[in-house]
């Protein structure tokens, strides 16, 4: 299985047709068709359902797409690391994390390094703790930013000098918007939009579940989300109230939304983590040194 052919496969999956993929790759359609047919023969599986004007992935094709994306990402990252060795200091740094205002502290460090070393480039990946640690373990990320509580026992880490405050995003014209803070009893009879982390059944790993206590299972959770941008749209549409952290949704004067903190107050700490015994690129090594300087 060749890397080049995997790139062909992903292009067809993305474009939805041989014609579109051939145009984007600057190869002929017969060449592309033959390579994909050979790939299917090699794997012994049909990867696409072929229509008159389009191609859609089979179940087996969807599995290969996920694996191919990981493989190509790792190949690109490895090539970039070796290419950066030819420069004095440069290369790519891959950082994953959930949505948090604490990314501003990471951005400050990134900016400082870029001012000194303009050949350093950053790649950000958004996801929950499970997504981030999975990609970190596979070597697709250099660093992960996690909101506590999360098991970080198998990683090296630094505490980020910031905390996230939990609360509720709601429409400004909603009844709860008249309150300065939100108590447990306020949430029992309203539709809720929750992050995956907020509805985890493992209360030992879930600050919100511990805060809410024994009536947690009585909550009316109508929607779950990974990114607050999408959840805020649901709130604005009147679907429910979003349980999230402060300073990551648009609650400006021109917005229809507002934020109210929980009472009693609930804060979560944050860590930036990396694999133990990780061998970093020169750029990532500099970034880590700066993290120690600012956060230790």
């Amino acid at each position: 299985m060749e890397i080049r052919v995997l790139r062909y496969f992903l292009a067809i999956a993305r474009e939805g047709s041989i014609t579109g993929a051939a145009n984007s790759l600057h190869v002929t359609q017969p060449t592309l068709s033959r390579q994909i047919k050979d790939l299917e023969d090699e794997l012994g599986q049909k990867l696409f359902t072929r229509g008159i004007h389009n191609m859609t992935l089979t179940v087996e094709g969807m599995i290969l797409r996920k694996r191919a994306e990981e493989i190509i990402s790792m190949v690109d990252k490895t090539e970039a690391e070796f290419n950066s060795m030819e420069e004095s200091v440069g290369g790519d740094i891959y950082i994953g994390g959930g949505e948090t205002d604490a990314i501003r502290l990471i951005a400050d460090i990134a900016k400082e390094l870029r001012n000194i070393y303009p050949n350093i480039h950053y790649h950000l990946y958004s996801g929950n703790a499970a997504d981030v640690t999975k990609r970190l373990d596979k070597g697709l990320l250099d660093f992960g930013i996690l909101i506590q509580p999360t098991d970080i026992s198998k990683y090296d880490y630094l505490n980020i000098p910031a905390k996230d405050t939990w609360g509720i995003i709601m429409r400004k014209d909603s009844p709860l918007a008249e309150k300065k803070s939100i108590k447990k009893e306020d949430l029992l009879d309203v539709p809720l939009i929750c992050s995956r982390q907020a509805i985890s059944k493992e209360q030992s790993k879930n600050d919100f579940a511990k805060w809410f206590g024994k009536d947690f299972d009585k909550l009316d959770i109508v929607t779950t989300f990974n990114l607050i941008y999408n959840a805020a749209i649901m709130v604005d549409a009147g679907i429910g109230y979003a349980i999230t952290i402060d300073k990551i949704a648009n609650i400006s004067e021109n917005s229809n939304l507002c934020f109210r903190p929980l009472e009693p107050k609930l804060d979560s700490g944050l860590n930036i983590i990396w694999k133990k015994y990780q061998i970093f690129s020169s750029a990532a090594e500099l970034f880590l040194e700066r993290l120690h300087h600012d956060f230790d």
Side-chain angles (χ1 to χ4, degrees):
M1 191 183 306
E2 298 181 25
I3 298 299
R4 171 177 53 83
V5 177
L6 289 181
R7 292 187 190 276
Y8 289 172
F9 165 76
L10 289 175
I12 297 173
R14 181 180 65 250
E15 299 293 336
S17 71
I18 288 285
T19 301
N23 291 336
S24 68
L25 294 168
H26 304 292
V27 299
T28 65
Q29 293 183 41
T31 296
L32 202 52
S33 297
R34 184 176 65 255
Q35 294 285 356
I36 296 305
K37 181 63 170 59
D38 290 345
L39 178 62
E40 289 180 322
D41 291 343
E42 180 182 352
L43 296 176
Q45 299 289 344
K46 186 178 179 181
L47 302 175
F48 291 98
T49 299
R50 292 159 172 81
I52 298 176
H53 299 295
N54 68 327
M55 297 176 65
T56 57
L57 289 169
T58 62
V59 173
E60 294 78 9
M62 292 178 185
I63 294 172
L64 180 61
R65 179 176 62 182
K66 181 178 179 181
R67 298 290 179 238
E69 286 173 345
E70 293 176 351
I71 292 169
I72 295 301
S73 179
M74 177 60 74
V75 168
D76 290 344
K77 184 174 185 291
T78 302
E79 290 178 349
E81 287 175 353
F82 276 85
N83 290 336
S84 70
M85 294 177 185
E86 300 175 0
E87 305 171 355
S88 56
V89 176
D92 298 283
I93 301 174
Y94 295 80
I95 305 170
E99 294 175 296
T100 170
D101 188 62
I103 194 67
R104 295 179 186 275
L105 300 177
I106 305 301
D108 289 340
I109 294 175
K111 180 181 178 182
E112 290 173 7
L113 282 183
R114 275 278 299 178
N115 288 341
I116 303 170
Y117 306 106
N119 289 322
I120 290 179
H121 303 276
Y122 299 92
H123 306 273
L124 303 181
Y125 172 82
S126 295
N128 59 27
D131 297 329
V132 170
T133 53
K134 182 179 179 180
R135 294 181 73 86
L136 196 69
D137 293 343
K138 291 182 177 181
L140 301 174
L141 296 174
D142 297 310
F143 302 97
I145 301 169
L146 302 183
I147 301 171
Q148 289 303 321
T150 305
D151 182 11
I152 56 175
S153 58
K154 67 177 183 178
Y155 303 102
D156 286 326
Y157 67 91
L158 287 169
N159 295 320
I160 298 176
K163 288 186 178 296
D164 282 332
T165 298
W166 286 83
I168 309 296
I169 296 290
M170 65 194 78
R171 286 181 58 92
K172 292 175 180 176
D173 58 4
S174 64
L176 291 185
E178 298 176 4
K179 297 176 176 286
K180 292 183 178 180
S181 58
I182 304 300
K183 299 180 180 180
K184 301 173 188 178
E185 54 266 28
D186 297 324
L187 301 178
L188 281 173
D189 298 315
V190 298
L192 297 177
I193 300 169
C194 297
S195 69
R196 302 281 197 276
Q197 181 175 347
I199 63 170
S200 169
K201 294 294 184 180
E202 298 182 68
Q203 292 203 10
S204 62
K205 298 181 180 180
N206 184 340
D207 277 348
F208 177 74
K210 287 189 289 184
W211 176 88
F212 203 87
K214 60 183 178 64
D215 292 328
F216 179 72
D217 289 334
K218 296 180 181 179
L219 294 175
D220 180 17
I221 298 171
V222 297
T223 308
T224 63
F225 68 90
N226 280 341
L227 298 176
I228 189 59
Y229 178 85
N230 295 331
I233 292 175
M234 305 288 273
V235 174
D236 195 21
I239 293 175
Y241 297 78
I243 299 170
T244 183
I245 55 178
D246 197 7
K247 299 179 181 177
I248 58 173
N250 178 17
I251 55 170
S252 64
E253 182 178 346
N254 295 327
S255 170
N256 293 326
L257 309 180
C258 63
F259 176 88
R260 298 291 182 266
L262 299 178
E263 181 185 342
K265 188 177 183 182
L266 176 61
D267 290 333
S268 291
L270 301 110
N271 300 113
I272 185 162
I273 67 172
W274 59 95
K275 289 170 64 176
K276 290 184 177 181
Y277 315 112
Q278 172 76 17
I279 299 176
F280 287 114
S281 65
S282 59
E285 189 68 44
L286 276 173
F287 187 80
L288 180 59
E289 290 176 9
R290 190 66 194 187
L291 288 173
H292 279 291
H293 177 273
D294 285 16
F295 295 169
D296 268 346

